[in-house]
Amino acid sequence: MAHPSQLGFQDAASPVMEELLHFHDHALMIVSLISAFVLYIIVALVTAKVSNKFMLDSEEIEIIWTLLPAIILTLIALPSLRILYLMDEINAPHLTIKAMGHQWYWSYEYTDYEDLAFDSYMIPTQDLTPGQFRLLEADHRMVVPVESPIRVLVSAEDVLHSWAVPSLGVKMDAVPGRLNQLAFIASRTGVFYGQCSEICGANHSFMPIVVEAVPLEHFENWSSLMLEDA
């Protein structure tokens, strides 16, 4: 969960998000070094500290500033492609959940169970209890077992939506008439918040996503209670 005056991303709660954080730091370091070097050259040229022929008119320097950007782009592209393939990889999920976007709430269906489905609405501000987050709490959370591969099938019933949970490193558009999928593994227990990341109408900011990762035995107890109430 983000907190006031926070710099950077939320703490990673999945292996994919950990990789994204490492890649962000990797790319940011390269960009910082390039910015510092370019700033130094600009200041040096303006103050006439660099005015020799090698810097201003030289085939060698032209070769360097042609090859160097290509090398830098390669250093950025290779880890980026690796993470893209890692995010698309879905191998033998333990649980499949269908997330359907509506105006303006989410509905979840646990396809491995016959009657386990529910709608998830935002809790109004006046109904919040101490410790709950305004505009982020939902009356029914999507509960998943920790350290288990989870596949989420994402679609929409009316307009474009987007199912996104930053701590898990997942974001997938919900398109009417199309079934998209994503996968994640919650590496630790906790409650992770997200929101619809597509401008889907007047109440776009009032359809939060709440994912609760619990131990497997707690998930089995929760699913049994939900099936009894169905």
Side-chain angles (χ1 to χ4, degrees):
M1 184 64 196
H3 56 79
S5 302
Q6 174 178 333
L7 295 177
F9 294 95
Q10 298 180 26
D11 292 338
S14 71
V16 168
M17 190 57 189
E18 292 177 3
E19 293 289 338
L20 289 173
L21 289 177
H22 292 321
F23 175 70
H24 170 267
D25 296 340
H26 167 76
L28 185 62
M29 182 60 67
I30 293 176
V31 171
S32 300
L33 292 175
I34 293 174
S35 301
F37 177 72
V38 171
L39 180 61
Y40 167 75
I41 294 297
I42 293 174
V43 172
L45 288 173
V46 170
T47 58
K49 291 182 179 179
V50 178
S51 59
N52 58 63
K53 184 177 180 181
F54 177 76
M55 290 296 296
L56 300 178
D57 186 16
S58 170
E59 292 184 2
E60 290 80 4
I61 197 66
E62 290 182 5
I63 293 174
I64 292 174
W65 71 46
T66 300
L67 293 179
L68 191 58
I71 296 172
I72 293 173
L73 289 176
T74 302
L75 293 176
I76 296 176
L78 291 180
S80 175
L81 291 174
R82 173 180 170 272
I83 296 176
L84 283 175
Y85 280 106
L86 182 64
M87 295 174 68
D88 286 336
E89 188 175 358
I90 300 177
N91 292 324
H94 294 174
L95 184 65
T96 299
I97 305 171
K98 184 177 180 180
M100 183 71 70
H102 307 268
Q103 288 183 314
W104 285 272
Y105 65 95
W106 294 96
S107 61
Y108 298 103
E109 178 184 348
Y110 288 67
T111 60
D112 299 290
Y113 299 84
E114 186 174 352
D115 297 316
L116 184 49
F118 53 86
D119 296 330
S120 180
Y121 291 87
M122 186 193 75
I123 298 177
T125 302
Q126 63 271 18
D127 296 334
L128 292 174
T129 60
Q132 290 186 322
F133 299 102
R134 177 177 173 271
L135 302 182
L136 288 177
E137 295 290 349
D139 56 356
H140 289 91
R141 296 173 174 176
M142 192 183 92
V143 181
V144 298
V146 71
E147 296 182 347
S148 295
I150 308 297
R151 175 173 59 183
V152 182
L153 305 176
V154 183
S155 186
E157 197 171 73
D158 35 50
V159 299
L160 290 174
H161 299 280
S162 185
W163 200 86
V165 183
S167 294
L168 298 174
V170 293
K171 181 180 184 294
M172 181 59 66
D173 288 342
V175 183
R178 178 172 178 173
L179 200 63
N180 295 326
Q181 66 176 351
L182 59 90
F184 67 87
I185 300 175
S187 55
R188 56 185 172 89
T189 60
V191 180
F192 312 112
Y193 296 89
Q195 290 176 299
C196 175
S197 297
E198 190 73 44
I199 300 178
C200 57
N203 293 328
H204 152 69
S205 58
F206 301 108
M207 49 185 304
I209 301 163
V210 185
V211 179
E212 183 175 0
V214 298
L216 180 59
E217 58 270 19
H218 293 179
F219 173 78
E220 292 175 343
N221 294 335
W222 172 85
S223 59
S224 299
L225 292 174
M226 293 292 290
L227 290 171
E228 290 176 2
D229 296 337

